Amino acid sequence: MFIIILTTVLTLSALYAPQPLLPVIVREFAVSSETAALLTTVAFIPLSVAPLVYGFVLETVSPRRMLKVAVFLLAVTELWFYYAPSFAELMVIRLLQGLLIPAMLTALMTYVSEQAGPSRIQRAMAVYVAATILGGFLGRACSGFIATTWGWRHSFLVLAVSLVVCFVFLFRLKGPEALSVSRPRADLLWQTLRHPVYRRIYLLIFCLFLVFAAIMNFLPFRLTEISDQASEFRIGLMYSGYVMGMVTSLMAVRVSEGLGSSKRAILAGMTVFCLALLGLATGHITVLFVVMFLFCGAMFLVHATATGHLNRLAAHHKGVVNGLYVAFYYGGGVVGSYVPGLIYRQWGWLPFILCLLGVSLVGMLTLTGIQAAASAKMSS
């Protein structure tokens, strides 16, 4: 499990490392804040599409083999990022990373669900989600620290070296290099989307991550707006709320059991998520820091519960089911990492927050549908 956790942490670190560096990238390359934010958006675009392809690939290729190829290539792109002389080249690199990272995430989710077995799958997925949270936090916090200490480019050199080490460890991962399975059918994607519970979980996670990505991407600009002491390291520390996300994701199974169902746990998480979102409207940095713990904790409680519930339902074709989940998750990220920024620039932070609250409420409305669809499925 250590190798899977390490790979997951580094994958998410690579995805989110540029976020706390966006203000310094604005100064370095003389671009606008919205243009700099595209470094996240352009990585999310393939993330919202490529998992559909990788889900089919995982019907015939082992997750272990896919991971080794993708990790090595991701290390190469991080080294390229370190040397890139222009913003346009950074954009190309991030697009390539956006093609590689979903291969890793889909393979990781599929490997974990296959190795865990039905009785342990929800807890295994909770550990996987906790590893993604740790990666998201370390990617931001460490890149901020390294940038403040040695310069922003060195963050990507450290990532490149770490990914090479991870690539070596992957040769010790248990599991077959090739699978003996039937040829994937073209209608699997449509059949999965027609499943009423799957479809509603996908819509919920789209809305959830749209809001979360918007806050994570534009928080650095909000901090520089309200404080002239917001260095890259201090901005990175604002993501410390991820620690609470690790706690809630690991407690997701216990929370579901305590509340009586996964649906109630998701509803509780979404309620706290919306309240914390309103709290982020404040202009006080200390309050922002504290509220981020609630915001991240609620988000990852919902994410871990939804992931575990989805994989518990998916008896077959886990690659396709998980591929669609990753696609909808990062599809929300594509929209959230750019479009709300236009609202922020035009009307300010409060309208930005209220718009995101509306999206969160749409996500909450799917919860009733999930319960109704699950009941209908059981009775049929």
Side-chain angles (χ1 to χ4, degrees):
M1 196 64 183
F2 165 76
I3 300 172
I4 290 296
I5 291 174
L6 174 64
T7 308
T8 305
V9 167
L10 289 176
T11 303
L12 273 295
S13 294
L15 180 60
Y16 293 119
Q19 275 190 339
L21 311 181
L22 293 181
V24 74
I25 288 174
V26 166
R27 297 192 297 270
E28 176 87 9
F29 296 101
V31 296
S32 68
S33 59
E34 291 83 9
T35 301
L38 286 174
L39 286 175
T40 302
T41 306
V42 77
F44 281 168
I45 291 172
L47 273 161
S48 65
V49 179
L52 308 181
V53 178
Y54 296 134
F56 278 110
V57 173
L58 285 168
E59 294 289 311
T60 54
V61 177
S62 77
R64 183 169 168 243
R65 174 173 292 182
M66 184 181 286
L67 279 174
K68 286 196 290 187
V69 173
V71 166
F72 178 78
L73 293 176
L74 187 62
V76 172
T77 65
E78 292 297 343
L79 187 61
W80 184 10
F81 205 99
Y82 172 73
Y83 286 108
S86 67
F87 185 80
E89 201 163 324
L90 295 184
M91 290 283 285
V92 172
I93 296 167
R94 289 294 286 172
L95 182 63
L96 293 174
Q97 290 179 345
L99 290 169
L100 293 170
I101 290 172
M104 298 165 69
L105 294 177
T106 307
L108 285 163
M109 288 179 70
T110 304
Y111 182 87
V112 170
S113 64
E114 287 177 348
Q115 295 295 313
S119 62
R120 297 185 298 119
I121 191 166
Q122 193 137 7
R123 294 188 184 278
M125 294 309 297
V127 172
Y128 162 77
V129 171
T132 67
I133 298 166
L134 180 61
F137 170 64
L138 289 179
R140 293 171 171 111
C142 291
S143 68
F145 172 75
I146 293 169
T148 302
T149 308
W150 294 290
W152 68 272
R153 290 183 182 271
H154 286 79
S155 302
F156 305 99
L157 181 61
V158 171
L159 265 174
V161 173
S162 301
L163 284 163
V164 170
V165 173
C166 178
F167 172 72
V168 174
F169 275 123
L170 283 174
F171 284 89
R172 301 175 58 185
L173 198 64
K174 296 179 181 179
E177 282 288 356
L179 301 178
S180 178
V181 297
S182 59
R183 184 184 298 273
R185 304 191 314 273
D187 63 342
L188 276 179
L189 191 66
W190 176 243
Q191 286 187 5
T192 304
L193 284 172
R194 287 181 61 192
H195 191 293
V197 180
Y198 293 171
R199 186 172 63 247
R200 294 176 189 277
I201 288 175
Y202 295 152
L203 178 59
L204 167 67
I205 210 65
F206 176 90
C207 294
L208 179 76
F209 196 63
L210 187 158
V211 175
F212 191 74
I215 294 296
M216 296 297 109
N217 220 36
F218 293 99
L219 182 63
F221 300 112
R222 174 62 171 168
L223 293 173
T224 55
E225 178 186 330
I226 60 180
S227 173
D228 56 3
Q229 297 181 341
S231 66
E232 291 82 24
F233 180 51
R234 289 182 177 180
I235 290 172
L237 286 180
M238 285 299 294
Y239 296 100
S240 297
Y242 263 63
V243 176
M244 183 58 71
M246 289 183 61
V247 173
T248 57
S249 65
L250 291 172
M251 292 179 60
V253 175
R254 188 172 298 178
V255 172
S256 295
E257 292 172 351
L259 295 177
S261 70
S262 296
K263 184 213 168 183
R264 290 178 181 175
I266 293 172
L267 179 61
M270 286 301 296
T271 301
V272 176
F273 185 78
C274 291
L275 292 174
L277 186 59
L278 286 174
L280 291 175
T282 182
H284 300 282
I285 289 184
T286 303
V287 177
L288 278 173
F289 182 81
V290 173
V291 173
M292 282 292 289
F293 281 83
L294 292 175
F295 184 70
C296 294
M299 187 275 180
F300 287 111
L301 172 63
V302 175
H303 180 28
T305 305
T307 305
H309 185 63
L310 185 72
N311 277 276
R312 193 171 67 247
L313 289 174
H316 306 288
H317 308 300
K318 291 180 181 290
V320 174
V321 172
N322 284 314
L324 275 167
Y325 183 91
V326 174
F328 273 86
Y329 187 83
Y330 286 105
V334 170
V335 180
S337 62
Y338 183 73
V339 174
L342 302 177
I343 298 171
Y344 178 28
R345 182 183 65 178
Q346 188 69 29
W347 292 290
W349 185 254
L350 182 58
F352 169 84
I353 292 292
L354 292 177
C355 175
L356 296 179
L357 179 63
V359 175
S360 301
L361 294 175
V362 170
M364 288 186 71
L365 288 175
T366 67
L367 294 174
T368 302
I370 289 174
Q371 182 62 35
S375 301
K377 195 77 177 174
M378 291 178 62
S379 61
S380 60

